[in-house]
Amino acid sequence: MNPSKVSTRVLEHAGSVGLSLIVWVCGGGICALGSLCYAELGVTIPKSGGDYSYVTEIFGGLVGFLLLWSAVLIMYPTTLAVIALTFSNYVLQPAFQNCVPPFIAIKLLAAILFLTWVNCSSVRWATRIQDIFTVGKLLALALIIVVGLVQIFRGHYDALVPSVAFEFQQDSSVGQIALAFLQASFAYSGWNFLNYVTEEVVEPRKNLPRAIYISIPLVTLVYTMTNIAYFSSMTPEELLASNAVAVTFGEKLLGMFSWVMPISVALSTFGGINGYLFTSSRLCFSGAREGHLPYLLAMIHLKNCTPIPALLVCCFATIVILCIGETHNLINYVSFINYLSYGVTIAGLLYLRKTRPNLARPIRVSLLVPISYLVFWAVLLGFSLYSEPVVCGLGMVIMLTGVPVYFVGVQWKEKPKWVYRLVERFTYVGQKLCYVVFPQNDSSETEPLTAKASD
């Protein structure tokens, strides 16, 4: 995701320019440690589905289901909602230059419905949009960095001088720094997406670590340099007061070309929405294939081969979050649950090392890597929970609501017949409305799909 919106929150919690930049650099380093662990898991358990598949394989169905449950209810819809709100805010900002855009207008303009339709219509369209708008994101960040470097070469770097950079605008406790890391981690989120499509990666034992070694340092450098560019032309007070940081940056430095910034950031976030929709629908598809979600979500369109039911569920959940959430709390929700999931998954790597030491591991990281990550993880989550007990605690409560759902919906096999008839009817209606079927390798297979759904 573009770091423009998150920069304000990181600075707010860090309390100083210097500490906020340290948070951005360290945040990228922590992502690199986690990525190395995921690379080992990806080639040791070569299944698509990422965290969900690994945890299910290592700890069993209940823990895997809780990760899936939290991802479907919180992580992906919340991330999509935040990115959609950011997109809408940057599109509307030029029309409301002297005030904050009405929040209801921002919600109405969120691009989730259009991109859901695109992903339902064609995988090719979705991937082309992703390619085009990823280029837009890189161009926007490159423009910010280049303009910022020009400012620095001209001597405009007062806020970056160490004696000034570490002047704290407010008292910064360990808990606040932990929340700054949570905010920064939201911008870095997505580093584990390649693990969701491991089965489709060519030569994963080579390409997984290669992707990590290239992407994580590059993204860390770009995000850190972007924030340095902001501070070359904006005081901390201006950045904290800005509702759209990149727009303010463009207005100060680009003159008549300032319109480029809101368009560039809007393009970036538009592509982010598309990418998260694509990935979240695959997670729903994977969970349904394992029997942890309704079988209808494992079906694809008969002609377009797109997972329409899974996409519609993701879209609906995002719309609900858009109606009830506020951006700052939404980011804390999703970042806390994200880190909780990452920690459980990486703890699974250590558990797998102990219980199955002879398992083939084409990639084997040093034990210091997962242990270092877990130490940071425990400290971060502990202080985050202490600083924001309601927000973080509510996220944990929502995750734990999946326990009774698992035992009733998945573990309980001898349900009354009327339940199976209801599921069969629901699946049948869903198939007719969405024109979807189970993916089949054998076209001669003639077993009724609704019968499969009731198994």
Side-chain angles (χ1 to χ4, degrees):
M1 157 162 189
N2 194 295
S4 299
K5 183 68 175 178
V6 181
S7 297
T8 302
R9 301 302 182 185
V10 173
L11 177 62
E12 180 182 346
H13 288 298
S16 74
V17 172
L19 190 54
S20 70
L21 293 177
I22 290 174
V23 167
W24 281 106
V25 174
C26 292
I30 295 300
C31 289
L33 293 178
S35 298
L36 292 171
C37 297
Y38 272 64
E40 176 176 327
L41 286 168
V43 296
T44 305
I45 306 173
K47 292 182 178 179
S48 294
D51 314 63
Y52 163 68
S53 295
Y54 307 147
V55 169
T56 302
E57 178 77 19
I58 298 169
F59 294 122
L62 175 59
V63 182
F65 178 81
L66 291 180
L67 256 66
L68 178 67
W69 178 257
S70 61
V72 172
L73 284 187
I74 302 178
M75 288 194 296
Y76 281 107
T78 300
T79 303
L80 278 164
V82 171
I83 300 175
L85 288 173
T86 305
F87 164 80
S88 302
N89 187 58
Y90 272 92
V91 170
L92 288 172
Q93 191 64 40
F96 296 88
Q97 294 184 3
N98 299 318
C99 60
V100 178
F103 196 53
I104 185 63
I106 291 176
K107 289 181 177 181
L108 290 175
L109 194 57
I112 187 73
L113 290 175
F114 172 73
L115 285 173
T116 300
W117 173 78
V118 169
N119 278 267
C120 288
S121 300
S122 172
V123 174
R124 180 178 296 178
W125 291 0
T127 53
R128 284 183 178 175
I129 284 178
Q130 193 61 36
D131 293 341
I132 292 170
F133 287 93
T134 297
V135 172
K137 173 179 180 176
L138 293 175
L139 290 176
L141 294 175
L143 177 61
I144 292 172
I145 292 171
V146 169
V147 173
L149 289 175
V150 170
Q151 284 291 100
I152 291 174
F153 289 144
R154 289 177 176 176
H156 301 285
Y157 50 81
D158 293 345
L160 298 171
V161 175
S163 59
V164 177
F166 287 94
E167 285 183 359
F168 285 85
Q169 309 296 318
Q170 59 184 21
D171 293 334
S172 185
S173 64
V174 177
Q176 288 298 313
I177 295 173
L179 292 176
F181 270 104
L182 282 186
Q183 293 285 326
S185 72
F186 183 78
Y188 286 113
S189 61
W191 55 263
N192 61 331
F193 276 5
L194 194 59
N195 292 75
Y196 282 86
V197 291
T198 302
E199 296 171 21
E200 302 171 36
V201 175
V202 179
E203 296 187 60
R205 69 177 61 185
K206 291 182 179 180
N207 290 326
L208 269 176
R210 184 179 298 167
I212 292 166
Y213 299 148
I214 295 174
S215 62
I216 299 296
L218 179 62
V219 171
T220 303
L221 176 64
V222 169
Y223 283 3
T224 304
M225 291 301 297
T226 299
N227 281 273
I228 289 174
Y230 288 150
F231 292 124
S232 71
S233 60
M234 303 168 64
T235 65
E237 293 77 15
E238 287 177 320
L239 192 143
L240 289 171
S242 175
N243 186 55
V245 179
V247 171
T248 305
F249 179 86
E251 289 173 350
K252 288 178 70 72
L253 298 181
L254 299 181
M256 61 181 295
F257 296 103
S258 61
W259 55 269
V260 172
M261 292 314 305
I263 291 177
S264 298
V265 177
L267 293 178
S268 166
T269 50
F270 193 78
I273 298 169
N274 185 72
Y276 269 93
L277 265 177
F278 188 83
T279 307
S280 59
S281 63
R282 281 173 174 262
L283 180 61
C284 287
F285 181 90
S286 180
R289 189 175 59 180
E290 296 294 327
H292 285 169
L293 291 176
Y295 284 113
L296 179 62
L297 301 183
M299 296 185 183
I300 61 175
H301 191 270
L302 189 62
K303 294 181 179 179
N304 298 333
C305 296
T306 53
I308 292 179
L311 284 163
L312 293 178
V313 166
C314 295
C315 177
F316 176 76
T318 303
I319 291 173
V320 172
I321 296 293
L322 278 169
C323 293
I324 64 176
E326 190 273 328
T327 305
H328 178 258
N329 286 335
L330 287 179
I331 293 177
N332 281 343
Y333 270 128
V334 73
S335 299
F336 183 83
I337 297 298
N338 259 335
Y339 260 109
L340 193 60
S341 300
Y342 298 155
V344 171
T345 304
I346 293 174
L349 182 149
L350 294 177
Y351 182 78
L352 198 63
R353 288 270 190 99
K354 181 178 180 181
T355 56
R356 302 173 68 179
N358 298 323
L359 190 65
R361 293 176 172 84
I363 298 174
R364 188 183 182 94
V365 299
S366 168
L367 279 177
L368 287 175
V369 174
I371 290 173
S372 299
Y373 185 93
L374 288 176
V375 169
F376 173 84
W377 170 81
V379 171
L380 176 68
L381 291 192
F383 280 105
S384 300
L385 189 58
Y386 174 78
S387 298
E388 290 277 4
V390 176
V391 173
C392 299
L394 186 57
M396 292 185 67
V397 169
I398 295 174
M399 175 183 278
L400 292 176
T401 59
V403 174
V405 175
Y406 174 79
F407 283 108
V408 173
V410 179
Q411 196 72 8
W412 183 23
K413 301 297 183 183
E414 302 299 326
K415 298 183 183 70
K417 291 185 178 179
W418 65 266
V419 174
Y420 290 106
R421 287 196 294 268
L422 183 63
V423 172
E424 180 179 353
R425 183 62 183 172
F426 172 78
T427 305
Y428 176 71
V429 172
Q431 284 185 265
K432 291 189 69 176
L433 289 175
C434 299
Y435 202 50
V436 292
V437 296
F438 280 108
Q440 294 180 3
N441 294 326
D442 184 1
S443 60
S444 64
E445 186 177 344
T446 57
E447 182 182 353
L449 296 174
T450 52
K452 289 182 179 180
S454 63
D455 286 344

PDB file of all heavy atoms in Angstrom, residues 10-33:
ATOM      1  N   VAL A  10       2.213   7.249  11.755  1.00  0.00           N
ATOM      2  CA  VAL A  10       3.510   6.819  12.290  1.00  0.00           C
ATOM      3  C   VAL A  10       4.173   7.976  13.036  1.00  0.00           C
ATOM      4  O   VAL A  10       4.663   7.814  14.162  1.00  0.00           O
ATOM      5  CB  VAL A  10       4.431   6.297  11.170  1.00  0.00           C
ATOM      6  CG1 VAL A  10       5.836   6.020  11.716  1.00  0.00           C
ATOM      7  CG2 VAL A  10       3.853   5.026  10.551  1.00  0.00           C
ATOM      8  N   LEU A  11       4.176   9.161  12.410  1.00  0.00           N
ATOM      9  CA  LEU A  11       4.769  10.335  13.058  1.00  0.00           C
ATOM     10  C   LEU A  11       4.019  10.693  14.330  1.00  0.00           C
ATOM     11  O   LEU A  11       4.625  11.036  15.351  1.00  0.00           O
ATOM     12  CB  LEU A  11       4.761  11.517  12.087  1.00  0.00           C
ATOM     13  CG  LEU A  11       5.293  12.846  12.639  1.00  0.00           C
ATOM     14  CD1 LEU A  11       6.755  12.719  13.051  1.00  0.00           C
ATOM     15  CD2 LEU A  11       5.116  13.953  11.598  1.00  0.00           C
ATOM     16  N   GLU A  12       2.705  10.594  14.298  1.00  0.00           N
ATOM     17  CA  GLU A  12       1.891  10.938  15.465  1.00  0.00           C
ATOM     18  C   GLU A  12       2.248  10.059  16.660  1.00  0.00           C
ATOM     19  O   GLU A  12       2.379  10.543  17.789  1.00  0.00           O
ATOM     20  CB  GLU A  12       0.411  10.787  15.112  1.00  0.00           C
ATOM     21  CG  GLU A  12      -0.540  11.108  16.256  1.00  0.00           C
ATOM     22  CD  GLU A  12      -1.992  10.883  15.867  1.00  0.00           C
ATOM     23  OE1 GLU A  12      -2.280  10.734  14.656  1.00  0.00           O
ATOM     24  OE2 GLU A  12      -2.833  10.842  16.775  1.00  0.00           O
ATOM     25  N   HIS A  13       2.401   8.758  16.442  1.00  0.00           N
ATOM     26  CA  HIS A  13       2.705   7.842  17.541  1.00  0.00           C
ATOM     27  C   HIS A  13       4.190   7.879  17.929  1.00  0.00           C
ATOM     28  O   HIS A  13       4.527   7.745  19.099  1.00  0.00           O
ATOM     29  CB  HIS A  13       2.317   6.413  17.172  1.00  0.00           C
ATOM     30  CG  HIS A  13       0.838   6.174  17.133  1.00  0.00           C
ATOM     31  ND1 HIS A  13       0.040   6.313  18.244  1.00  0.00           N
ATOM     32  CD2 HIS A  13       0.012   5.805  16.112  1.00  0.00           C
ATOM     33  CE1 HIS A  13      -1.227   6.049  17.916  1.00  0.00           C
ATOM     34  NE2 HIS A  13      -1.260   5.734  16.633  1.00  0.00           N
ATOM     35  N   ALA A  14       5.074   8.055  16.926  1.00  0.00           N
ATOM     36  CA  ALA A  14       6.513   8.071  17.220  1.00  0.00           C
ATOM     37  C   ALA A  14       6.906   9.336  17.983  1.00  0.00           C
ATOM     38  O   ALA A  14       7.790   9.313  18.834  1.00  0.00           O
ATOM     39  CB  ALA A  14       7.321   7.952  15.934  1.00  0.00           C
ATOM     40  N   GLY A  15       6.279  10.451  17.639  1.00  0.00           N
ATOM     41  CA  GLY A  15       6.527  11.681  18.378  1.00  0.00           C
ATOM     42  C   GLY A  15       7.630  12.552  17.828  1.00  0.00           C
ATOM     43  O   GLY A  15       7.751  13.713  18.211  1.00  0.00           O
ATOM     44  N   SER A  16       8.471  12.020  16.920  1.00  0.00           N
ATOM     45  CA  SER A  16       9.538  12.829  16.333  1.00  0.00           C
ATOM     46  C   SER A  16       9.848  12.326  14.928  1.00  0.00           C
ATOM     47  O   SER A  16       9.560  11.172  14.596  1.00  0.00           O
ATOM     48  CB  SER A  16      10.804  12.772  17.180  1.00  0.00           C
ATOM     49  OG  SER A  16      11.456  11.527  17.045  1.00  0.00           O
ATOM     50  N   VAL A  17      10.443  13.205  14.132  1.00  0.00           N
ATOM     51  CA  VAL A  17      10.802  12.849  12.756  1.00  0.00           C
ATOM     52  C   VAL A  17      11.820  11.712  12.739  1.00  0.00           C
ATOM     53  O   VAL A  17      11.671  10.726  12.012  1.00  0.00           O
ATOM     54  CB  VAL A  17      11.368  14.079  12.017  1.00  0.00           C
ATOM     55  CG1 VAL A  17      11.935  13.674  10.654  1.00  0.00           C
ATOM     56  CG2 VAL A  17      10.285  15.143  11.849  1.00  0.00           C
ATOM     57  N   GLY A  18      12.866  11.842  13.551  1.00  0.00           N
ATOM     58  CA  GLY A  18      13.928  10.836  13.557  1.00  0.00           C
ATOM     59  C   GLY A  18      13.424   9.463  13.955  1.00  0.00           C
ATOM     60  O   GLY A  18      13.752   8.455  13.308  1.00  0.00           O
ATOM     61  N   LEU A  19      12.612   9.403  15.008  1.00  0.00           N
ATOM     62  CA  LEU A  19      12.110   8.112  15.470  1.00  0.00           C
ATOM     63  C   LEU A  19      11.148   7.500  14.459  1.00  0.00           C
ATOM     64  O   LEU A  19      11.120   6.279  14.266  1.00  0.00           O
ATOM     65  CB  LEU A  19      11.427   8.258  16.823  1.00  0.00           C
ATOM     66  CG  LEU A  19      11.052   6.958  17.533  1.00  0.00           C
ATOM     67  CD1 LEU A  19      12.246   6.031  17.676  1.00  0.00           C
ATOM     68  CD2 LEU A  19      10.444   7.269  18.907  1.00  0.00           C
ATOM     69  N   SER A  20      10.367   8.332  13.773  1.00  0.00           N
ATOM     70  CA  SER A  20       9.447   7.805  12.762  1.00  0.00           C
ATOM     71  C   SER A  20      10.219   7.164  11.608  1.00  0.00           C
ATOM     72  O   SER A  20       9.812   6.116  11.086  1.00  0.00           O
ATOM     73  CB  SER A  20       8.524   8.912  12.236  1.00  0.00           C
ATOM     74  OG  SER A  20       9.236   9.859  11.451  1.00  0.00           O
ATOM     75  N   LEU A  21      11.355   7.772  11.205  1.00  0.00           N
ATOM     76  CA  LEU A  21      12.176   7.182  10.142  1.00  0.00           C
ATOM     77  C   LEU A  21      12.805   5.869  10.599  1.00  0.00           C
ATOM     78  O   LEU A  21      12.912   4.910   9.819  1.00  0.00           O
ATOM     79  CB  LEU A  21      13.256   8.170   9.710  1.00  0.00           C
ATOM     80  CG  LEU A  21      12.764   9.448   9.012  1.00  0.00           C
ATOM     81  CD1 LEU A  21      13.923  10.382   8.703  1.00  0.00           C
ATOM     82  CD2 LEU A  21      12.002   9.104   7.729  1.00  0.00           C
ATOM     83  N   ILE A  22      13.199   5.801  11.865  1.00  0.00           N
ATOM     84  CA  ILE A  22      13.739   4.545  12.407  1.00  0.00           C
ATOM     85  C   ILE A  22      12.665   3.464  12.373  1.00  0.00           C
ATOM     86  O   ILE A  22      12.935   2.300  12.053  1.00  0.00           O
ATOM     87  CB  ILE A  22      14.256   4.771  13.843  1.00  0.00           C
ATOM     88  CG1 ILE A  22      15.514   5.638  13.810  1.00  0.00           C
ATOM     89  CG2 ILE A  22      14.550   3.445  14.535  1.00  0.00           C
ATOM     90  CD1 ILE A  22      16.030   6.031  15.192  1.00  0.00           C
ATOM     91  N   VAL A  23      11.435   3.839  12.691  1.00  0.00           N
ATOM     92  CA  VAL A  23      10.324   2.884  12.652  1.00  0.00           C
ATOM     93  C   VAL A  23      10.136   2.341  11.240  1.00  0.00           C
ATOM     94  O   VAL A  23       9.939   1.134  11.043  1.00  0.00           O
ATOM     95  CB  VAL A  23       9.023   3.547  13.164  1.00  0.00           C
ATOM     96  CG1 VAL A  23       7.807   2.673  12.840  1.00  0.00           C
ATOM     97  CG2 VAL A  23       9.103   3.792  14.669  1.00  0.00           C
ATOM     98  N   TRP A  24      10.223   3.219  10.225  1.00  0.00           N
ATOM     99  CA  TRP A  24      10.063   2.762   8.846  1.00  0.00           C
ATOM    100  C   TRP A  24      11.168   1.784   8.451  1.00  0.00           C
ATOM    101  O   TRP A  24      10.896   0.746   7.824  1.00  0.00           O
ATOM    102  CB  TRP A  24      10.071   3.958   7.890  1.00  0.00           C
ATOM    103  CG  TRP A  24       8.767   4.692   7.839  1.00  0.00           C
ATOM    104  CD1 TRP A  24       8.483   5.909   8.402  1.00  0.00           C
ATOM    105  CD2 TRP A  24       7.562   4.250   7.210  1.00  0.00           C
ATOM    106  NE1 TRP A  24       7.184   6.258   8.154  1.00  0.00           N
ATOM    107  CE2 TRP A  24       6.592   5.259   7.415  1.00  0.00           C
ATOM    108  CE3 TRP A  24       7.200   3.128   6.484  1.00  0.00           C
ATOM    109  CZ2 TRP A  24       5.287   5.169   6.940  1.00  0.00           C
ATOM    110  CZ3 TRP A  24       5.899   3.022   5.990  1.00  0.00           C
ATOM    111  CH2 TRP A  24       4.971   4.025   6.220  1.00  0.00           C
ATOM    112  N   VAL A  25      12.411   2.073   8.825  1.00  0.00           N
ATOM    113  CA  VAL A  25      13.522   1.184   8.475  1.00  0.00           C
ATOM    114  C   VAL A  25      13.411  -0.140   9.216  1.00  0.00           C
ATOM    115  O   VAL A  25      13.522  -1.221   8.620  1.00  0.00           O
ATOM    116  CB  VAL A  25      14.877   1.862   8.788  1.00  0.00           C
ATOM    117  CG1 VAL A  25      16.024   0.883   8.550  1.00  0.00           C
ATOM    118  CG2 VAL A  25      15.066   3.104   7.918  1.00  0.00           C
ATOM    119  N   CYS A  26      13.173  -0.079  10.517  1.00  0.00           N
ATOM    120  CA  CYS A  26      13.072  -1.306  11.310  1.00  0.00           C
ATOM    121  C   CYS A  26      11.862  -2.133  10.908  1.00  0.00           C
ATOM    122  O   CYS A  26      11.912  -3.370  10.935  1.00  0.00           O
ATOM    123  CB  CYS A  26      13.003  -0.966  12.796  1.00  0.00           C
ATOM    124  SG  CYS A  26      14.530  -0.283  13.465  1.00  0.00           S
ATOM    125  N   GLY A  27      10.782  -1.455  10.530  1.00  0.00           N
ATOM    126  CA  GLY A  27       9.601  -2.185  10.074  1.00  0.00           C
ATOM    127  C   GLY A  27       9.905  -3.035   8.852  1.00  0.00           C
ATOM    128  O   GLY A  27       9.464  -4.189   8.748  1.00  0.00           O
ATOM    129  N   GLY A  28      10.684  -2.475   7.918  1.00  0.00           N
ATOM    130  CA  GLY A  28      11.089  -3.257   6.751  1.00  0.00           C
ATOM    131  C   GLY A  28      11.994  -4.412   7.126  1.00  0.00           C
ATOM    132  O   GLY A  28      11.895  -5.511   6.570  1.00  0.00           O
ATOM    133  N   GLY A  29      12.885  -4.180   8.120  1.00  0.00           N
ATOM    134  CA  GLY A  29      13.766  -5.257   8.570  1.00  0.00           C
ATOM    135  C   GLY A  29      12.994  -6.400   9.196  1.00  0.00           C
ATOM    136  O   GLY A  29      13.307  -7.585   8.968  1.00  0.00           O
ATOM    137  N   ILE A  30      11.981  -6.078   9.989  1.00  0.00           N
ATOM    138  CA  ILE A  30      11.154  -7.128  10.602  1.00  0.00           C
ATOM    139  C   ILE A  30      10.401  -7.909   9.537  1.00  0.00           C
ATOM    140  O   ILE A  30      10.272  -9.143   9.612  1.00  0.00           O
ATOM    141  CB  ILE A  30      10.174  -6.499  11.606  1.00  0.00           C
ATOM    142  CG1 ILE A  30      10.949  -5.867  12.769  1.00  0.00           C
ATOM    143  CG2 ILE A  30       9.189  -7.536  12.125  1.00  0.00           C
ATOM    144  CD1 ILE A  30      11.811  -6.830  13.541  1.00  0.00           C
ATOM    145  N   CYS A  31       9.912  -7.214   8.523  1.00  0.00           N
ATOM    146  CA  CYS A  31       9.239  -7.909   7.405  1.00  0.00           C
ATOM    147  C   CYS A  31      10.205  -8.863   6.714  1.00  0.00           C
ATOM    148  O   CYS A  31       9.814  -9.959   6.292  1.00  0.00           O
ATOM    149  CB  CYS A  31       8.695  -6.896   6.399  1.00  0.00           C
ATOM    150  SG  CYS A  31       7.272  -5.965   6.987  1.00  0.00           S
ATOM    151  N   ALA A  32      11.476  -8.460   6.584  1.00  0.00           N
ATOM    152  CA  ALA A  32      12.473  -9.328   5.949  1.00  0.00           C
ATOM    153  C   ALA A  32      12.679 -10.605   6.761  1.00  0.00           C
ATOM    154  O   ALA A  32      12.759 -11.709   6.193  1.00  0.00           O
ATOM    155  CB  ALA A  32      13.797  -8.574   5.795  1.00  0.00           C
ATOM    156  N   LEU A  33      12.734 -10.497   8.097  1.00  0.00           N
ATOM    157  CA  LEU A  33      12.872 -11.684   8.943  1.00  0.00           C
ATOM    158  C   LEU A  33      11.669 -12.607   8.765  1.00  0.00           C
ATOM    159  O   LEU A  33      11.817 -13.830   8.612  1.00  0.00           O
ATOM    160  CB  LEU A  33      13.000 -11.276  10.407  1.00  0.00           C
ATOM    161  CG  LEU A  33      14.259 -10.522  10.829  1.00  0.00           C
ATOM    162  CD1 LEU A  33      14.192 -10.160  12.316  1.00  0.00           C
ATOM    163  CD2 LEU A  33      15.508 -11.350  10.547  1.00  0.00           C
TER     164      LEU A  33
END
